[in-house]
Amino acid sequence: MKESTHQHPSTPRSKDEIQTTVNRLKRIEGQVRGIQKMVEDDRYCVDILVQISAINAALKKVGHSITERHIKHCVSDAILSGEGDEAIDELMEVMTQFSK
Amino acid sequence: MKESTHQHPSTPRSKDEIQTTVNRLKRIEGQVRGIQKMVEDDRYCVDILVQISAINAALKKVGHSITERHIKHCVSDAILSGEGDEAIDELMEVMTQFSK
Amino acid sequence: MKESTHQHPSTPRSKDEIQTTVNRLKRIEGQVRGIQKMVEDDRYCVDILVQISAINAALKKVGHSITERHIKHCVSDAILSGEGDEAIDELMEVMTQFSK
Amino acid sequence: MKESTHQHPSTPRSKDEIQTTVNRLKRIEGQVRGIQKMVEDDRYCVDILVQISAINAALKKVGHSITERHIKHCVSDAILSGEGDEAIDELMEVMTQFSK
């Protein structure tokens, strides 16, 4: 992955947006700690795998909402200012990485 | 998902196995906290997405190694004692959930 | 999935673009027929699975290039004419379906 | 991917099993041809993407049922004859390829 094109989103996230995303990530952090406990307690493999797949799903949702906001702001602004191609190439690259 | 068939793996995990997996999960927990910080600092969407996809890949690896151990121990033992079908159905169900 | 918003891309595909994509799909069609033959010959499961995963990868690449063109033309044009939100919602919906 | 360990499944597929799988693959082949037609007709990108994701889902289902049969026969037989480890390594390798 090349260096990314920006330091910040073209439109800053609102306090609410930041809080909502941080809360979702805190929940995911708690789920990861929960799995550590399951491993320490030598819990049944399938129960651990179910939890891991739940975390993956939760992370995908966070990624989805960040991608949506990215397209609605950063990519749209780049298109409106005639610099869409670079922004779209960058987007496609990160989406490819995600689909692996 | 129905209730799982067991409380513990058919062969208990060794201390080393537990420690290795817990260490990997602690690293993932740190990565999730790192993303929280990035969101709080209103960092560029694509940089956050790259980190999320790295966590997804790391979680998949943990899931892969737990699945492998599960098949080598729990599923194999079930097959050897003539109860393979139930164990394989359970395995297929969790693998379907993973591939979503 | 709701009905889609358009009948055609905002910029028609060139003859060359159409031919390139059709050729890739013809190759995929041939691969699917190849798997039918493998099943009829009762070939080893793992060899069939490797071929199926190759087709999945090839289909993903076609999907990727259609998505890229869609964003560079249809979505960009929608954004430039002030109708970006609907186009982006539609894009996110199809991307969610893909990531399943 | 190394060369696979066998030429055929440990238990031959029945005529019915072969027919069911071939029929599903013929349907997939028809879907791929359908997409070629959509591209030739320059149809809307999102409609094509929806069809591609339907094919991916159908292929995954075929892969799932071949994997299930593979574990219930080939892998189980290998485990029962004391050669489980090689069979399980081969299985994990193809599953990793699939999850990409």
Side-chain angles (χ1 to χ4, degrees), chain C residues 10-54:
Chain C
S10 64
T11 308
R13 293 180 185 89
S14 69
K15 274 196 176 176
D16 266 14
E17 269 186 289
I18 290 179
Q19 201 52 55
T20 304
T21 308
V22 168
N23 287 347
R24 291 165 81 176
L25 289 165
K26 274 191 199 304
R27 222 156 22 233
I28 291 170
E29 189 193 332
Q31 288 175 291
V32 175
R33 260 199 307 273
I35 298 182
Q36 288 168 34
K37 179 85 175 60
M38 291 177 87
V39 173
E40 282 162 355
D41 293 347
D42 198 29
R43 289 279 302 280
Y44 187 49
C45 328
V46 170
D47 293 336
I48 298 175
L49 291 171
V50 168
Q51 290 309 311
I52 292 179
S53 95

Side-chain angles (χ1 to χ4, degrees), chain B residues 37-50:
Chain B
K37 179 85 175 59
M38 291 176 86
V39 173
E40 282 162 356
D41 293 347
D42 198 29
R43 289 279 301 280
Y44 187 49
C45 327
V46 171
D47 293 336
I48 298 176
L49 291 171
V50 168

Side-chain angles (χ1 to χ4, degrees), chain D residues 61-77:
Chain D
K61 271 195 194 165
V62 174
H64 181 93
S65 86
I66 290 174
T67 304
E68 183 171 5
R69 192 205 189 276
H70 176 60
I71 301 178
K72 289 205 171 163
H73 292 279
C74 309
V75 178
S76 293
D77 289 347

